[in-house]
Amino acid sequence: MTSTDRPAQNRHSTRTEILDARPVQLDGFVEEWPEVGMIAMESPYDPEPSIRVEDGVIVEMDGRERADFDFLDQFIADHAIDVSAAEEAMALDAQEIAARVVDPRVPRQDILHITRGLTPAKLLDVVESMNVVEIMMAMQKMRARRTPANQAHSTSARDNPVQVAADAAEAALRGFAELETTLGVVRYAPLVAIALQIGGQTGRGGVITQCALEEATELELGMRGITAYAETISVYGTESVFVDGDDTPWSKAFLASAYASRGIKMRFTSGTGAEVQMGNAEGKSMLYLEIRCIQVAKGAGVQGLQNGSISCIGVPGAVPSGIRAVAAENLVASMLDLECASGNDQSFSHSPMRRTARTMPQLLPGTDFVVSGYSGVPNADNMFAGSNWDPEDYDDWNTIQRDLKVDGGLRHVAEKEVLAVRGKAIRALQAVFAGLDLPPITDEEVDAGIYAHGSEELPERDVLEDLKAAKSVMDRGITGLDLVAALEKGGFRDVAENLLGVLRQRVSGDLLQTSAILDGDFSVRSAINDANDYAGPGTGYRPSGERWEEMKRLRHVLSASNPEQEVE
């Protein structure tokens, strides 16, 4: 039956039927419900900004007396706000602060002097006065590191270390500065973390890796040098949600110090929508609660924050102005001089147009990590529940970079280079497994892993033997130096030297600098030696020279002199 055959009362236009069939109609949208926190920003129940300081102590903040503080209020008041700057900063009008943040002629350091004295409610007022374009203009100036970067996920639906090593090597070759994995079966962690590390160092020396797990195992892998950073240490914006996780801001700060004491880079994770998703938003907006999280991170002394709603993106994505709120939370992290790994790492929409639009507030101005989890594997293999971007989007991403001359951290790589590095990574892992007496990797697995797109194309491994081996890695006290020795013995000296170069950073401590990454020469780029110097047109980071020439290359570009020929 066509639309013209239906009774008039049930008849729809052809255009409506076409619109109903669009992918965006599969997304979920809800009305705002401020009373329970189902509102992204501009809630009537958020507190009004205020502060009172007596004898160097904040005794009232955002309408609440110190005797009535919850533990987030107390932690923020005592550790996140610079009391010496607070009263002067709080006296400024929020729109005046916003204008200074957006104005490229006002130096970033001047803004930091103001923002370190602001309360959560005042920071909220500042960013609520900005539209999304102003938020992007501000981010261009306020991000900590001059040069943007990107991070990838390398996981496997079967927790297959062969796949993880191959995809990690390809991701590193394509330009990702950090690589992250997680597991379906947590006991597989040691083998998968080893695979991630070896794959990353095969693709490009200096890429740093992490394995997202429960905190004790994650810390132990880091302390052993099998991983080099951590970020999945979550903080929350209400006391009730914090307590649900058996945590406090002080316990998180203690954990952060444990990582730092061993030279392990570390940032917290938070995001708009977490508290309402967990049923304890206490009637406050998503963005207000996220700003409290950001200030907890600041007070704890960590290098930075992974925020941008992260795994909760479906919540702000369902309400009005939700994606604007996500951009605002990224900006607040940068306004507080924290490294910002800005999300875009969780699938949230069936609409390709919405997926792209969600990333523009981070990609266009640049952030420290534009995507804190671009899936380097097909989303079916992504054990973080799928990313906003995956390998099928590599060419689209590179084309957007080229179209707009914005640096999202990636580059085109010829297939022959991809196949070569995937094969080398698997063979290096094969040598390490043999050297450490772990279950063998067969030549059949090597060949399949070179050409595979996903885990279903690889031979199945003996899971029971792998799990026994993973336990033995922990029981035998295997460390990053053991991996170096096995690589050297197996004939992969260059990969061994790359891994040793990352381990040396644990001694120098330079990776503890805000927004620190390693380049291919193992030189640290951070907010210290690669500080953002944007001050308006013609200033700051802009793709140029060799990097711009690299960004111009795509898979299918015709030669200007011979239109019948493609150039690499």
Side-chain angles (χ1 to χ4, degrees):
M1 179 182 290
T2 67
S3 60
T4 56
D5 297 326
R6 297 190 186 112
Q9 65 269 25
N10 295 322
R11 185 178 176 185
H12 296 292
S13 72
T14 304
R15 182 165 298 163
T16 296
E17 291 176 344
I18 291 171
L19 289 172
D20 281 343
R22 294 282 291 174
V24 73
Q25 305 304 339
L26 299 173
D27 292 357
F29 304 100
V30 298
E31 288 185 313
E32 292 172 319
W33 188 1
E35 291 80 5
V36 300
M38 185 63 77
I39 184 169
M41 53 199 303
E42 298 165 347
S43 170
Y45 301 109
D46 288 334
E48 291 296 318
S50 64
I51 201 165
R52 192 170 75 254
V53 178
E54 294 178 0
D55 298 324
V57 176
I58 295 174
V59 296
E60 183 272 333
M61 183 175 72
D62 294 343
R64 185 177 288 183
E65 296 293 329
R66 188 175 183 90
D68 300 321
F69 282 180
D70 64 16
F71 63 39
L72 277 91
D73 293 321
Q74 183 179 341
F75 191 83
I76 291 167
D78 292 348
H79 301 290
I81 296 175
D82 183 345
V83 176
S84 67
E87 292 181 305
E88 179 183 355
M90 289 291 290
L92 294 170
D93 180 73
Q95 287 191 27
E96 171 59 25
I97 297 172
R100 295 187 194 184
V101 175
V102 172
D103 188 343
R105 297 167 297 181
V106 179
R108 181 176 184 273
Q109 289 299 322
D110 290 1
I111 302 301
L112 297 179
H113 177 75
I114 295 171
T115 55
R116 70 190 189 202
L118 301 182
T119 67
K122 189 73 168 190
L123 284 164
L124 179 67
D125 274 6
V126 171
V127 293
E128 283 185 339
S129 70
M130 299 180 188
N131 63 35
V132 73
V133 176
E134 291 160 345
I135 289 169
M136 288 192 285
M137 291 171 64
M139 177 59 87
Q140 186 168 219
K141 180 175 83 175
M142 293 309 301
R143 75 168 181 268
R145 189 179 59 244
R146 184 176 190 268
T147 309
N150 218 326
Q151 180 204 99
H153 290 160
S154 185
T155 63
S156 170
R158 295 178 176 173
D159 295 328
N160 190 324
V162 174
Q163 179 190 9
V164 170
D167 284 323
E170 180 178 345
L173 184 67
R174 289 184 179 274
F176 291 101
E178 291 184 351
L179 302 174
E180 177 185 21
T181 194
T182 194
L183 291 304
V185 178
V186 174
R187 288 181 293 161
Y188 245 117
L191 298 190
V192 171
I194 288 170
L196 184 74
Q197 182 72 275
I198 290 170
Q201 299 316 313
T202 305
R204 175 182 74 78
V207 172
I208 61 174
T209 65
Q210 75 140 327
C211 186
L213 299 161
E214 51 82 23
E215 291 166 354
T217 304
E218 188 170 355
L219 178 60
E220 184 171 1
L221 289 171
M223 292 174 70
R224 291 187 183 202
I226 295 175
T227 59
Y229 80 101
E231 75 177 0
T232 49
I233 290 82
S234 298
V235 292
Y236 304 100
T238 65
E239 183 173 310
S240 49
V241 172
F242 242 125
V243 169
D244 279 350
D246 294 325
D247 270 312
T248 71
W250 290 270
S251 65
K252 294 294 188 182
F254 180 81
L255 181 60
S257 69
Y259 279 100
S261 70
R262 297 299 185 269
I264 304 170
K265 177 179 177 177
M266 189 265 213
R267 54 181 173 255
F268 284 166
T269 291
S270 61
T272 49
E275 296 80 16
V276 68
Q277 182 166 294
M278 297 174 74
N280 282 302
E282 299 179 0
K284 303 297 189 295
S285 73
M286 301 177 200
L287 184 55
Y288 170 73
L289 296 179
E290 171 57 18
I291 290 172
R292 299 181 89 198
C293 295
I294 298 168
Q295 290 196 287
V296 165
K298 182 67 175 177
V302 296
Q303 295 161 261
L305 192 66
Q306 175 185 225
N307 77 350
S309 194
I310 314 303
S311 57
C312 304
I313 186 63
V315 180
V319 298
S321 201
I323 302 305
R324 172 177 162 240
V326 170
E329 69 175 278
N330 295 151
L331 175 58
V332 172
S334 296
M335 285 167 59
L336 293 179
D337 204 24
L338 294 168
E339 172 184 81
C340 179
S342 54
N344 289 299
D345 61 337
Q346 181 83 39
S347 56
F348 85 108
S349 175
H350 296 82
S351 163
M353 191 177 298
R354 280 193 86 203
R355 287 176 50 226
T356 305
R358 184 259 175 276
T359 303
M360 290 300 101
Q362 294 77 36
L363 177 60
L364 297 185
T367 65
D368 294 310
F369 293 94
V370 176
V371 181
S372 54
Y374 187 123
S375 186
V377 297
N379 265 335
D381 274 307
N382 190 300
M383 300 310 292
F384 290 98
S387 175
N388 203 38
W389 302 86
D390 78 357
E392 296 170 20
D393 303 310
Y394 278 147
D395 288 347
D396 299 80
W397 185 277
N398 289 333
T399 303
I400 292 170
Q401 290 185 143
R402 184 180 189 264
D403 286 344
L404 300 177
K405 199 178 182 180
V406 294
D407 195 341
L410 303 191
R411 67 188 185 105
H412 165 66
V413 182
E415 185 188 27
K416 61 183 179 182
E417 296 178 63
V418 171
L419 297 180
V421 80
R422 290 176 69 91
K424 183 177 179 179
I426 301 170
R427 286 188 289 272
L429 185 66
Q430 185 182 44
V432 169
F433 273 32
L436 297 178
D437 196 27
L438 301 174
I441 293 171
T442 66
D443 290 341
E444 180 188 6
E445 289 179 279
V446 175
D447 184 71
I450 292 172
Y451 296 96
H453 181 50
S455 60
E456 292 185 354
E457 300 172 58
L458 277 75
E460 292 189 16
R461 290 183 58 79
D462 187 326
V463 175
L464 182 58
E465 290 303 310
D466 274 354
L467 292 178
K468 290 178 181 177
K471 184 176 184 300
S472 79
V473 168
M474 305 306 283
D475 291 344
R476 288 188 282 160
I478 288 172
T479 70
L481 288 176
D482 295 310
L483 305 184
V484 171
L487 286 164
E488 171 76 19
K489 183 178 179 181
F492 293 90
R493 184 180 183 86
D494 57 337
V495 183
E497 289 177 346
N498 287 344
L499 177 52
L500 188 60
V502 172
L503 293 174
R504 286 194 184 104
Q505 292 297 324
R506 298 279 296 279
V507 179
S508 73
D510 288 343
L511 276 176
L512 301 183
Q513 298 170 10
T514 299
S515 302
I517 57 174
L518 294 174
D519 64 19
D521 297 322
F522 292 90
S523 297
V524 172
R525 289 188 185 180
S526 73
I528 303 299
N529 65 349
D530 188 30
N532 187 5
D533 58 356
Y534 178 77
T539 68
Y541 176 79
R542 291 155 197 273
S544 61
E546 183 179 343
R547 174 56 179 152
W548 176 226
E549 292 305 313
E550 185 177 61
M551 288 169 59
K552 291 179 183 179
R553 294 193 286 273
L554 300 173
R555 277 171 48 81
H556 301 294
V557 177
L558 298 180
S559 166
S561 58
N562 181 5
E564 300 298 320
Q565 179 181 343
E566 291 183 355
V567 294
E568 281 288 351

